[in-house]
Amino acid sequence: MPSPTLTLAPIVRPHVPGKVVHTRHAGVWDGGNLQSSAIRQMLDASITQLTGIDDARAAWSALFAPDERIALKVNTIAGSAYWTHVPLAMAVAESLQDAGIPAEQIIIFDRSSSELQETGYTLNTDGPGVRCYGTDRAYTGGWALLDRDIAISDVLLSCDALINIPLLKVHGTSGISFAPKNHYGTFDQPGRYHGNIEQALGALNALDAIRDRTRLIIGDALNICTYNWNDATTSDSILMSFDSVAHDTVGLQLFTAAREASGGNATTTQRKATAWLQYAAELGLGENNLEAIDKVEVNLA
């Protein structure tokens, strides 16, 4: 079957490939608690730097229209002690609402409602406010990934635009799990695509259902899982980009620095991640050459 037709909003969407904004905030953590006001400051600073639009509300409005349904893809996978932080996802939803998007048209999702709930998200399938629920085995077919038929989340397919909000983690097969890898929670057969992950990550993200909906990537590096998914380094960063390959190339830098700061070695991680980043770049998904990436550093107090 053909992929569903997208209804795109008649608005300006600044798109700068190869640009990544790295924003830090020294006060984002208060002890073990994230400060929502600091996260909003980080998002505001990032969106204005990325788009070149001085007013944050206007910048969000330039990317999303009030009549669009917007999916926020988070990472709440079981078997981990760290996930996309709830305050970050909610701050993104608040920014969208401030830009005129009704709360009910914003959907925080991952592969299952139970995983979302267990990691601190409040489920809301049809009540007032921001919606939050899992795909829960509701997938639609019509796509092929490396010559095998797959199906994609009905939650994503029901939306016009996607904001990808992954957490920076180590991964035994792909080196790191960040923006492209976050979509292993968006289709129905992720377990079949680890042995060929060097091609699968790029090919998955090149599918029109994902590529054409992806409007923004906001990388959660407030914690970085450098050795396993049950331990993390506390950090103070988010990344923002339109370019998932450039985003993860900078993410690999952050991961490497965090791993080496703890006395570890990131050579194997770099080798694994570099392979699929190169393939994704060859597919035209983004820029993987650090020298060609426009990395903007923002430091907030």
Side-chain angles (χ1 to χ4, degrees), residues 3-301:
S3 61
T5 301
L6 293 181
T7 302
L8 298 178
I11 54 179
V12 176
R13 295 194 181 91
H15 188 150
V16 184
K19 184 175 183 179
V20 181
V21 181
H22 175 214
T23 301
R24 306 178 65 181
H25 196 307
V28 72
W29 288 100
D30 181 7
N33 298 313
L34 284 168
Q35 301 303 296
S36 296
S37 60
I39 293 175
R40 283 298 301 271
Q41 291 171 26
M42 296 171 81
L43 290 172
D44 287 352
S46 298
I47 199 79
T48 55
Q49 286 287 338
L50 183 63
T51 62
I53 299 173
D54 291 339
D55 180 76
R57 184 179 298 179
W60 287 100
S61 297
L63 298 177
F64 303 95
D67 61 346
E68 288 188 298
R69 285 169 56 86
I70 303 167
L72 276 54
K73 172 63 174 73
V74 295
N75 184 320
T76 59
I77 190 169
S80 177
Y82 293 88
W83 311 274
T84 302
H85 292 87
V86 175
L88 176 59
M90 295 309 299
V92 173
E94 290 168 3
S95 295
L96 291 169
Q97 291 172 77
D98 286 349
I101 312 295
E104 292 75 17
Q105 291 170 208
I106 302 167
I107 305 169
I108 298 171
F109 87 104
D110 202 355
R111 64 180 185 178
S112 77
S113 295
S114 62
E115 287 177 327
L116 283 160
Q117 189 170 38
E118 288 167 4
T119 55
Y121 288 86
T122 300
L123 299 183
N124 180 20
T125 57
D126 57 8
V130 174
R131 305 296 167 81
C132 181
Y133 49 86
T135 298
D136 296 332
R137 300 184 181 180
Y139 297 93
T140 294
W143 289 269
L145 180 57
L146 302 183
D147 299 323
R148 291 178 175 175
D149 292 336
I150 65 165
I152 291 177
S153 168
D154 285 354
V155 180
L156 177 61
L157 297 178
S158 73
C159 291
D160 303 289
L162 167 71
I163 301 176
N164 190 2
I165 317 178
L167 179 71
L168 183 52
K169 294 181 174 183
V170 68
H171 193 277
T173 307
S174 59
I176 61 168
S177 175
F178 213 18
K181 183 65 170 62
N182 201 30
H183 284 302
Y184 267 46
T186 301
F187 75 114
D188 65 333
Q189 300 177 58
R192 299 179 69 181
Y193 292 92
H194 283 88
N196 50 7
I197 205 163
E198 289 183 8
Q199 290 78 40
L201 274 176
L204 174 65
N205 282 264
L207 295 177
D208 57 0
I210 294 174
R211 183 195 63 231
D212 294 349
R213 286 174 171 81
T214 301
R215 199 74 56 80
L216 190 63
I217 303 120
I218 303 173
D220 183 344
L222 296 166
N223 284 121
I224 302 174
C225 294
T226 51
Y227 290 96
N228 57 62
W229 292 357
N230 293 313
D231 296 291
T233 298
T234 300
S235 185
D236 58 2
S237 298
I238 64 170
L239 297 178
M240 186 180 288
S241 185
F242 299 119
D243 180 335
S244 63
V245 179
H247 175 276
D248 275 33
T249 300
V250 174
L252 180 58
Q253 270 194 318
L254 296 184
F255 178 92
T256 298
R259 181 80 172 252
E260 291 178 348
S262 65
N265 186 302
T267 301
T268 300
T269 295
Q270 291 173 330
R271 174 179 54 80
K272 291 178 177 180
T274 298
W276 60 260
L277 284 166
Q278 176 63 37
Y279 184 73
E282 291 171 358
L283 292 178
L285 292 177
E287 180 59 67
N288 72 318
N289 181 356
L290 273 171
E291 293 183 358
I293 292 173
D294 179 13
K295 182 183 176 184
V296 180
E297 297 281 358
V298 178
N299 293 290
L300 305 174

